[in-house]
Amino acid sequence: MTSVLALYRNHDALMNMSSNQQPTLILRKLSVDEYVLPKIHTKKIKRVNSERKPFSVNPFPKLGTGHGVYVFENQYFKYEGEWVKGKKHGFGKLLLKDGTYYEGQFNQGEITGTGFKFFSETKCKYKGQFLKGEMHGRGIMEFPDSSEYEGNFVHNRKNGYGVMRTPLTQYDGGYQGNMRHGEGRMVYAPMRYDKTSNGDRYEGYWVADKRHGPGVLHCADGSIFDGNFDNDEFHGHGLYRHISGVIYDGMWLKGFPAKMASKLHIVVENTPMVIRQGTPFTITVQCLNDENEVVGDEGREIQITAGFKYYQPSKGSALFDMIEDVEDKPIDTPFGYQVVHYPLTNQEQENDGPSEEDEEQELSQSQTQLDLKEDEDENQNNKEEEIKEGEDGEKLAENEKQDDEKEDGVDNSGGGVEEPDEIPNNTTTETESVPLPPPVPNCRSEEGVCVWNEVYLAPAPPMYRPFVAMEEAENDKKSSSRGKPAINKDDRRSSIGLQRVVTAAKIPSILDKMRRQKEKALEEKYAKTGEYVLMVHDVTNPPFLGRTIEPAFLLLKLKRPEAKKRAKKEGKKWDTSQHIRRSMVATEGSED
């Protein structure tokens, strides 16, 4: 059997006790082989330690309260500051081995309160409120690119109201999860490097850092959009007032109007459009989309111009040298040829030109005078001898050549017919140049339609290139086709017969000259008859949403003024009986 005796730890103190104070050892048998000593109750001293295992190189302050320095076990953290009962409490500084540090308030061992934190990796600086080691509450975050955020934080993220200032923007409004969210205002700096216009200002709602919902965008160029946004784009109903003057109020889809004008259309019944000299005409233009629907935008600037077919002058000609440095370039048309600008005006023109009927009457009177002259020549030449066949041919050719070279009259020495020096019946030509009229002003669309009233084709400017080129080509054609007429040797004509032929041949040429002079006089007042091209362009500046709609072209057929219908004067009716009586009276008188 074995027994165990329990002894006091402090054996010396027990020996110094008096006999009366010494306790009596009472052995209590628990079992055959085991005995225990009675318990002695002593006071236990409590040791104060930090909340972490003590591996400090410096001793803690007495009872863990006061100022002290502590290096944690992993050697990554170091704290220097105030302690309360072994916990960081009060003001202190916590340093991390990578250079990040916090300096501020601690509460019960946690970073809670107001403080300053430097992030070594991002070089950001935060000053504000903390909660359990996280940025939480009001604070200011400074970024290395001089950006700054001042506002609320929740669990290290921007949340709630705040103001974000960057070198390019300034935003003040709501945040959620570090992103702009809710109502806010964004002001863009004058200089930007992305697609957003410089100096824009937006006031409205945001979702996930993008404009979303109702808002107003004030662009730097003066354009204003008031409507709905979706994913940073115009989407839904909105009113857009563009700086160019265009106003669109309607639905938008992904940044563009639901109905976007893409082409211009000239409203006309027949093609080509027939117009008259000195008579105004009206032009109506519509703005259509790809489905040929009229788009009701307001304020689009539309321009109308006219053009005439471009004739390429031959190299080396005077016209070629003259226009070599002219900036007005030919314009392509869908009609298979190019045109150059022709003046178009809405200035009223005096419609005092003769009508086709008046002109035909003047020409018929001129021809009558030529017939009388021909009769006189015929009576005078009855006494002359017949000329030979060869001489007849030479004289005929010479007379025709003189007709082409002379414009004032015909040499009566050989042809027997004298042309008048001036156009009969008081036909005059103007020598003074007419100043160019002002062009037709541009028109602003109203509900997608533009209308021009009282439009004219103005007289051609001096030395108008297409007309000069046409005249040169016509002269070259005449000179190449000029030659001696063929004379039939078997046909023996007398001098009288020959002169009749010459005179008859000269009459059409004289009429042509008269017509040319008449046309020349009209061209100084009106445009030259022929085919023109009307051109309509979108000149909105700057282009609406960066797009210019397609132009439109129309053929114009310019003709002379319409002949005025004159009422027929009713003459006296023919009285046969009265005519017979007068004849009988005249016969009886002669017999007497």
Side-chain angles (χ1 to χ4, degrees):
M1 293 178 62
T2 62
S3 62
V4 180
L5 297 178
L7 300 178
Y8 289 99
R9 292 183 180 181
N10 197 342
H11 180 69
D12 295 338
L14 182 61
M15 292 296 102
N16 293 331
M17 291 182 182
S18 61
S19 59
N20 295 331
Q21 295 176 344
Q22 292 182 356
T24 303
L25 297 176
I26 301 175
L27 297 177
R28 181 170 58 87
K29 187 176 181 180
L30 300 177
S31 62
V32 179
D33 297 326
E34 182 178 6
Y35 294 89
V36 295
L37 295 175
K39 293 182 179 181
I40 300 177
H41 298 279
T42 60
K43 185 177 181 180
K44 184 178 180 181
I45 300 175
K46 185 177 181 182
R47 185 175 180 179
V48 179
N49 294 326
S50 172
E51 73 277 7
R52 301 180 184 274
K53 294 182 179 180
F55 281 88
S56 176
V57 296
N58 298 323
F60 285 102
K62 188 177 181 180
L63 299 179
T65 301
H67 185 275
V69 178
Y70 182 84
V71 178
F72 290 83
E73 179 180 4
N74 56 12
Q75 302 293 317
Y76 190 80
F77 299 95
K78 179 181 178 180
Y79 172 77
E80 180 179 356
E82 296 180 351
W83 298 79
V84 174
K85 295 181 180 180
K87 294 184 178 181
K88 298 184 290 291
H89 191 87
F91 187 84
K93 184 176 183 180
L94 179 64
L95 295 90
L96 281 68
K97 199 170 184 178
D98 64 353
T100 302
Y101 68 90
Y102 165 80
E103 185 174 3
Q105 294 178 345
F106 288 82
N107 188 353
Q108 296 297 321
E110 298 290 346
I111 298 176
T112 300
T114 304
F116 173 84
K117 186 174 183 179
F118 173 76
F119 301 85
S120 61
E121 183 177 356
T122 61
K123 308 301 179 185
C124 296
K125 301 175 183 178
Y126 173 79
K127 182 180 180 180
Q129 296 175 338
F130 288 84
L131 178 63
K132 293 184 179 181
E134 294 180 333
M135 296 178 292
H136 193 89
R138 187 78 177 175
I140 300 175
M141 175 72 80
E142 297 180 358
F143 300 89
D145 61 351
S146 72
S147 301
E148 180 184 86
Y149 171 79
E150 180 179 0
N152 292 330
F153 287 84
V154 173
H155 300 301
N156 282 335
R157 294 177 177 269
K158 297 188 285 286
N159 202 88
Y161 178 80
V163 178
M164 182 71 182
R165 303 179 183 90
T166 70
L168 301 178
T169 61
Q170 177 175 330
Y171 171 82
D172 59 288
Y175 276 90
Q176 181 176 333
N178 257 354
M179 292 186 293
R180 295 182 287 268
H181 192 89
E183 188 174 1
R185 181 180 65 175
M186 172 72 82
V187 178
Y188 299 93
M191 296 298 297
R192 286 193 60 83
Y193 306 98
D194 53 18
K195 296 182 180 180
T196 308
S197 301
N198 298 336
D200 294 351
R201 184 176 78 255
Y202 172 75
E203 299 179 6
Y205 285 85
W206 300 75
V207 172
D209 237 9
K210 293 185 178 181
R211 292 172 289 198
H212 192 94
V216 180
L217 177 64
H218 299 264
C219 300
D221 61 0
S223 302
I224 301 176
F225 177 81
D226 186 358
N228 197 68
F229 287 80
D230 185 5
N231 196 25
D232 245 0
E233 294 178 330
F234 305 155
H235 193 84
H237 185 272
L239 172 63
Y240 191 26
R241 300 179 182 272
H242 195 251
I243 184 60
S244 63
V246 178
I247 300 175
Y248 179 83
D249 187 4
M251 297 299 297
W252 294 74
L253 296 175
K254 296 183 178 180
F256 292 96
K259 290 185 178 181
M260 183 72 173
S262 59
K263 57 185 176 181
L264 295 173
H265 172 68
I266 304 175
V267 180
V268 63
E269 295 181 358
N270 299 318
T271 304
M273 180 179 178
V274 178
I275 57 178
R276 300 286 178 175
Q277 285 180 327
T279 303
F281 57 95
T282 301
I283 296 297
T284 303
V285 177
Q286 297 175 337
C287 301
L288 305 181
N289 58 8
D290 294 335
E291 289 75 25
N292 293 327
E293 298 175 343
V294 179
V295 178
D297 53 4
E298 301 281 343
R300 190 182 293 274
E301 188 174 3
I302 307 299
Q303 179 190 60
I304 60 170
T305 56
F308 194 83
K309 185 176 181 180
Y310 173 70
Y311 289 86
Q312 179 68 35
S314 59
K315 190 174 182 180
S317 64
L319 180 62
F320 182 85
D321 298 335
M322 180 183 66
I323 68 172
E324 187 175 7
D325 299 328
V326 178
E327 295 182 358
D328 190 10
K329 301 298 181 182
I331 303 172
D332 294 329
T333 66
F335 307 118
Y337 56 85
Q338 294 179 323
V339 297
V340 291
H341 282 292
Y342 187 88
L344 190 70
T345 183
N346 61 346
Q347 182 178 353
E348 185 177 359
Q349 297 179 340
E350 296 181 359
N351 192 7
D352 56 354
S355 63
E356 291 180 351
E357 183 180 354
D358 297 335
E359 187 175 274
E360 291 177 357
Q361 183 178 1
E362 290 179 359
L363 293 177
S364 62
Q365 294 176 359
S366 300
Q367 187 170 357
T368 303
Q369 294 179 2
L370 293 174
D371 292 340
L372 295 175
K373 183 68 176 178
E374 179 185 357
D375 294 338
E376 293 177 1
D377 294 338
E378 183 177 357
N379 295 330
Q380 182 180 359
N381 293 331
N382 285 334
K383 300 179 181 180
E384 296 182 359
E385 298 180 354
E386 296 182 359
I387 58 175
K388 297 181 181 180
E389 180 179 350
E391 294 176 354
D392 295 344
E394 292 178 358
K395 189 175 294 185
L396 180 60
E398 184 179 357
N399 290 334
E400 291 186 355
K401 184 176 181 181
Q402 292 177 357
D403 292 339
D404 294 333
E405 294 177 350
K406 295 183 179 181
E407 295 181 359
D408 297 335
V410 180
D411 188 2
N412 55 4
S413 60
V417 178
E418 182 181 359
E419 295 183 4
D421 295 337
E422 297 181 357
I423 300 175
N425 294 333
N426 299 327
T427 302
T428 60
T429 59
E430 297 183 2
T431 58
E432 297 181 358
S433 61
V434 180
L436 293 178
V440 178
N442 299 339
C443 179
R444 294 282 183 174
S445 63
E446 296 182 3
E447 296 183 357
V449 178
C450 291
V451 179
W452 291 268
N453 296 314
E454 302 292 328
V455 180
Y456 301 83
L457 285 172
M463 297 299 293
Y464 183 59
R465 288 186 293 166
F467 293 171
V468 175
M470 289 173 59
E471 186 175 350
E472 287 185 355
E474 185 177 355
N475 293 335
D476 294 341
K477 185 177 180 181
K478 286 183 178 181
S479 61
S480 62
S481 62
R482 184 178 299 161
K484 292 184 178 181
I487 301 299
N488 187 3
K489 296 181 180 180
D490 297 334
D491 188 9
R492 300 290 182 176
R493 296 188 179 92
S494 64
S495 61
I496 299 175
L498 178 60
Q499 291 176 2
R500 289 180 179 178
V501 173
V502 173
T503 305
K506 290 180 180 297
I507 292 175
S509 63
I510 296 174
L511 297 179
D512 290 341
K513 290 179 182 179
M514 294 174 61
R515 288 192 180 95
R516 286 197 296 268
Q517 292 180 4
K518 179 69 67 175
E519 290 177 357
K520 185 177 180 181
L522 290 176
E523 288 173 6
E524 295 183 0
K525 293 183 179 181
Y526 308 106
K528 182 182 180 67
T529 57
E531 187 176 80
Y532 294 80
V533 177
L534 184 71
M535 299 172 288
V536 183
H537 291 85
D538 176 18
V539 293
T540 306
N541 187 30
F544 181 60
L545 299 178
R547 295 184 177 184
T548 301
I549 57 181
E550 298 178 0
F553 299 87
L554 176 66
L555 283 177
L556 298 178
K557 192 72 173 180
L558 181 62
K559 296 184 178 181
R560 295 179 183 177
E562 292 182 341
K564 297 180 180 179
K565 295 183 179 180
R566 299 180 180 179
K568 294 183 179 180
K569 295 181 179 180
E570 294 184 0
K572 296 182 179 180
K573 294 183 179 181
W574 179 261
D575 191 353
T576 306
S577 60
Q578 185 178 3
H579 180 70
I580 294 173
R581 281 197 303 269
R582 288 179 181 178
S583 299
M584 293 176 65
V585 171
T587 304
E588 292 176 357
S590 61
E591 291 178 356
D592 295 338

